């Protein structure tokens, strides 16, 4: 049977389907699939939720006719292992599909080339790397996490047009307008975790939830080296409604005078994570924190910290993305309320380089989204 020419619009439809599950598949990837026969879409689907059916199986399930001889466009190499779900390659073979067009390669060591090999061994034509860049773009978090087992880190901050995150007095409400702030809630629902510092908790008593309809609340993580979190703050009070993790120095979790506070927090539903100290011994070590968050399947975090936390993550070389919101305001001042604290960089050549800028506007505010180069 003659195969029709490949058509990018089918893969773009698969990408669109994949993105509808944003925030619900972690730590699994976003994946979409479209089945085409005789120039018509006869089935489509996506991976909707972690642990549920994979995209290919959902597309096959949606069929109202035989897929014998059809082409499936799938944004990620089909899996060939038994995990929470059986292999997609098996379903593709059983459905009689004769051509598989793949966007991204799957770096998961359980799949990584084995999926395509299995399909070819079963006489199926496989085309790889089709619109690969576009497909890769939807899963930066998955690609990072599956190979490193630690979360992808996105820093977010809002500054005035003169680069301030607050006035000299510390006033910061609000730098950006409503629509930019509502986009932050969208971001909160796409990253598995949100991280703030104890300073923010003490100053603002935030909930750190996602407040848009249909949004998913992130796991809330507080960097609190010396376990200063008040037992009656909003985060602790709502720990039974959504995960709250307090990351403190290891010593506080190991039999000193704070141990009773650790026990109290735990009894209120808060998870306490002991982290080793940084090189100065005063604060928790960012690298150890990420390793431990990775161990509990947190694949990505949105860091909404202040200048100290931003500097700590950047200095550790552990930032993958930066969301810089620029509000249409100027406050001036002498204080050092800028987004990133001192990092010991003296020469411009030693700066942290950002790449791939993408710019969006929200009313009178701007968002610049960067990838971070020098990890
Ligand atoms: C696909 N299609 O839609 C997805 C894939 O535990 P499981 O069974 O859900 O397997 C998770 C792994 O399968 C995940 O790490 C990734 O390698 C792959 N995800 N593969 O063929 C899909 N979500
Ligand atoms: Zn699969």
């Amino acid at each position: 049977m003659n195969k029709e020419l490949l058509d990018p619009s089918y893969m773009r439809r698969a990408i669109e389907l994949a993105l509808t599950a944003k925030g619900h598949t972690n730590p699994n990837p976003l994946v979409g699939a479209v089945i085409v026969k005789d120039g018509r879409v006869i089935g489509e689907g996506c991976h909707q939720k972690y642990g549920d059916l994979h995209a290919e199986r959902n597309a096959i399930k949606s069929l109202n006719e035989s897929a014998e001889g059809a082409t499936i466009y799938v944004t990620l190499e089909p899996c060939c292992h038994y995990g929470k779900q059986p292999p997609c390659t098996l379903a593709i073979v059983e459905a009689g599909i004769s051509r598989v067009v793949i966007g991204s390669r799957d770096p998961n060591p359980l799949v990584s080339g084995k999926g395509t090999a299995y399909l070819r061994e079963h006489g199926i034509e496989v085309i790889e790397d089709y619109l690969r860049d576009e497909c890769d773009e939807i899963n930066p978090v998955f690609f990072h996490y599956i190979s490193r087992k630690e979360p992808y880190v996105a820093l977010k901050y809002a500054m005035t047009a003169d680069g301030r995150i607050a006035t000299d007095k510390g006033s910061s409400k609000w730098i950006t307008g409503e629509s930019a702030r509502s986009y932050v809630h969208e971001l909160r629902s796409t990253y598995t975790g949100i991280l703030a510092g104890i300073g923010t908790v003490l100053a603002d008593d935030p909930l750190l939830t996602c407040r848009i309809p249909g949004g998913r609340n992130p796991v809330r993580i507080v960097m609190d080296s010396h376990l200063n979190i008040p037992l009656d703050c909003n985060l602790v009070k709502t720990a039974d409604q959504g995960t709250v993790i307090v990351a403190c120095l290891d010593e506080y979790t190991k039999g000193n005078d704070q141990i009773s506070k650790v026990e109290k927090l735990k009894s209120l539903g808060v998870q306490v994570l002991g982290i080793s100290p940084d090189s100065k011994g005063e604060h928790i070590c960012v690298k150890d924190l990420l390793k431990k968050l990775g161990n509990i399947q947190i694949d990505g975090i949105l860091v909404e910290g202040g200048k100290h936390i931003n500097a700590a993550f950047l200095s550790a070389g552990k930032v993958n993305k930066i969301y810089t919101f620029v509000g249409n305001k100027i406050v001036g001042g002498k204080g050092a309320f800028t987004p990133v604290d001192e990092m010991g960089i003296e020469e411009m050549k030693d700066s942290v380089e950002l790449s791939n800028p993408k710019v969006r506007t929200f009313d009178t505010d701007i968002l610049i989204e960067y990838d971070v180069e020098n990890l």
Side-chain angles (χ1 to χ4, degrees):
M1 183 180 144
N2 263 344
K3 284 280 164 204
E4 61 266 4
L5 290 175
L6 296 185
D7 183 339
S9 67
Y10 297 130
M11 190 60 98
R12 294 205 171 103
R13 171 69 186 147
I15 291 173
E16 193 176 272
L17 289 163
L19 287 170
T20 60
K22 215 171 177 181
H24 298 279
T25 63
N26 309 71
N28 273 357
L30 291 165
V31 186
V34 171
I35 304 174
V36 182
K37 193 171 166 180
D38 304 327
R40 281 177 308 120
V41 173
I42 58 165
E44 55 176 37
C46 70
H47 182 43
Q48 290 170 335
K49 193 163 168 274
Y50 177 74
D52 284 0
L53 280 185
H54 286 184
E56 301 88 321
R57 284 183 181 269
N58 270 328
I60 289 167
K61 209 171 114 191
S62 78
L63 290 166
N64 288 316
E65 59 186 278
S66 159
E68 198 72 39
T71 295
I72 185 167
Y73 288 78
V74 55
T75 57
L76 181 74
E77 175 183 1
C79 70
C80 52
H81 67 294
Y82 285 85
K84 292 208 164 357
Q85 293 294 332
C88 290
T89 46
L90 191 64
I92 290 170
V93 170
E94 281 171 1
I97 289 169
S98 63
R99 184 169 65 172
V100 179
V101 184
I102 299 170
S104 300
R105 294 178 179 227
D106 187 347
N108 182 348
L110 293 170
V111 184
S112 179
K114 298 186 197 84
T116 50
Y118 179 97
L119 293 169
R120 287 191 175 116
E121 277 157 26
H122 286 77
I124 292 173
E125 184 190 352
V126 179
I127 293 153
E128 289 177 276
D129 300 333
Y130 190 69
L131 299 195
R132 181 173 175 179
D133 289 346
E134 283 173 56
C135 291
D136 281 355
E137 212 165 283
I138 63 177
N139 280 312
V141 170
F142 169 71
F143 293 139
H144 180 87
Y145 181 69
I146 196 79
S147 45
R148 293 176 183 78
K149 291 286 171 243
E150 60 180 47
Y152 179 96
V153 176
L155 293 194
K156 171 256 149 188
Y157 54 82
M159 63 183 193
T160 60
D162 59 330
R164 310 285 174 143
I165 58 168
T167 65
D168 278 1
K169 244 183 80 188
S171 154
S172 63
K173 284 190 174 126
W174 298 102
I175 291 168
T176 51
E178 239 166 65
S179 63
R181 296 201 320 268
S182 130
Y183 185 66
V184 172
H185 284 270
E186 242 176 78
L187 291 176
R188 285 182 178 183
S189 85
T190 62
Y191 288 94
T192 301
I194 179 172
L195 183 142
I198 182 63
T200 305
V201 175
L202 295 175
D204 300 342
D205 197 14
L207 275 169
L208 301 177
T209 48
C210 158
R211 293 190 285 280
I212 45 165
R216 190 236 337 105
N217 279 333
V219 169
R220 297 166 290 168
I221 305 153
V222 184
M223 270 177 103
D224 181 14
S225 301
H226 303 286
L227 212 56
N228 288 325
I229 192 162
L231 292 172
D232 62 351
C233 70
N234 279 327
L235 283 177
V236 174
K237 281 197 281 195
T238 57
D240 54 345
Q241 293 156 41
T243 310
V244 174
I245 298 173
V246 174
C248 63
L249 286 166
D250 241 342
E251 59 186 87
Y252 290 122
T253 63
K254 289 187 184 139
N256 74 357
D257 56 344
Q258 286 275 40
I259 197 80
S260 62
K261 184 157 184 187
V262 172
E263 293 312 322
K264 270 188 210 139
L265 284 167
K266 285 186 179 165
S267 72
L268 293 165
V270 174
Q271 292 183 33
V272 181
L273 212 53
I275 311 291
S276 37
D278 63 9
S279 56
K280 290 188 190 137
E282 257 173 69
H283 296 289
I284 60 175
C285 165
V286 166
K287 288 183 182 164
D288 192 44
L289 170 66
L290 291 176
K291 205 172 349 136
K292 288 182 173 148
L293 292 176
N295 289 345
I296 52 171
Q297 288 214 315
I298 295 190
D299 60 348
I301 55 172
L302 181 68
V303 176
E304 293 194 44
K307 58 180 183 164
H308 297 297
I309 287 185
N310 290 343
F313 275 86
L314 284 161
S315 298
K318 289 290 179 188
V319 179
N320 302 99
K321 182 174 281 295
I322 298 193
Y323 297 99
T324 301
F325 287 89
V326 185
N328 65 327
K329 292 186 174 130
I330 289 185
V331 292
K334 295 196 184 83
F337 290 99
T338 55
V340 184
D341 200 24
E342 212 268 311
M343 288 173 61
I345 295 172
E346 292 184 351
E347 302 296 333
M348 205 43 90
K349 68 172 173 42
D350 300 322
S351 58
V352 177
E353 294 232 350
L354 312 178
S355 64
N356 201 17
K358 291 191 196 102
V359 181
R360 286 180 66 169
T361 53
F362 294 91
D363 299 330
T364 47
D365 304 321
I366 297 170
L367 165 62
I368 313 166
E369 191 180 321
Y370 293 108
D371 292 326
V372 183
E373 277 293 275
N374 48 352
L375 286 181

